[in-house]
Amino acid sequence: MSAVLTKLGTFHGHFMGEEALLSSLQHATYWTTDKRPPNETDGLGVKWQGLCDRFAHVPETYRDSAVRDLGHRILRWGEWIHDKTAALMARHTTRTLVHGDCKSANIFFKAENDR
């Protein structure tokens, strides 16, 4: 975990202050609301609850009301979060690139005996 965070920190730090590159880029990542396909969130709350129903056999997790309500909360807060980050971007000039899909499937390590 430490190695991943170090590499990500180095990646972000490398691009800080590179205004010629960064000023040409748009706000945020693909996961912001203005870059998502139209109507993508239609019925999200109901669809999420349907997913929870399919995993109801998992003890407690998908039956928990906070988990079941996640789709509705995303709809309720998504635009607000987008608007707040856009306002911050307009006021601050310090920018960097973000790794758009940092998950375990996209992180590779050398074998222990590999130098």
Side-chain angles (χ1 to χ4, degrees):
M1 179 63 113
S2 177
V4 171
L5 293 176
T6 299
K7 289 293 184 185
L8 285 172
T10 302
F11 174 81
H12 294 294
H14 176 79
F15 291 102
M16 289 189 94
E18 295 290 331
E19 289 305 314
L21 168 69
L22 297 173
S23 64
S24 67
L25 301 176
Q26 294 181 353
H27 155 109
T29 67
Y30 177 73
W31 299 109
T32 59
T33 56
D34 59 341
K35 294 181 181 78
R36 305 301 303 156
N39 305 323
E40 181 182 54
T41 58
D42 290 356
L44 179 63
V46 173
K47 290 175 186 175
W48 177 258
Q49 287 180 345
L51 176 76
C52 290
D53 291 343
R54 286 193 291 280
F55 286 92
H57 63 281
V58 177
E60 298 180 28
T61 304
Y62 291 96
R63 288 180 273 179
D64 182 285
S65 62
V67 173
R68 292 186 61 78
D69 191 46
L70 180 62
H72 294 292
R73 285 184 287 139
I74 289 171
L75 289 174
R76 207 168 32 246
W77 289 98
E79 285 294 327
W80 181 86
I81 292 168
H82 177 267
D83 292 346
K84 292 295 181 186
T85 57
L88 284 171
M89 289 291 293
R91 289 197 315 262
H92 299 284
T93 58
T94 302
R95 298 179 182 186
T96 188
L97 294 179
V98 295
H99 184 293
D101 200 8
C102 185
K103 61 184 178 187
S104 60
N106 293 335
I107 299 171
F108 300 91
F109 294 97
K110 291 182 179 182
E112 285 188 39
N113 59 358
D114 189 4
R115 299 200 189 257

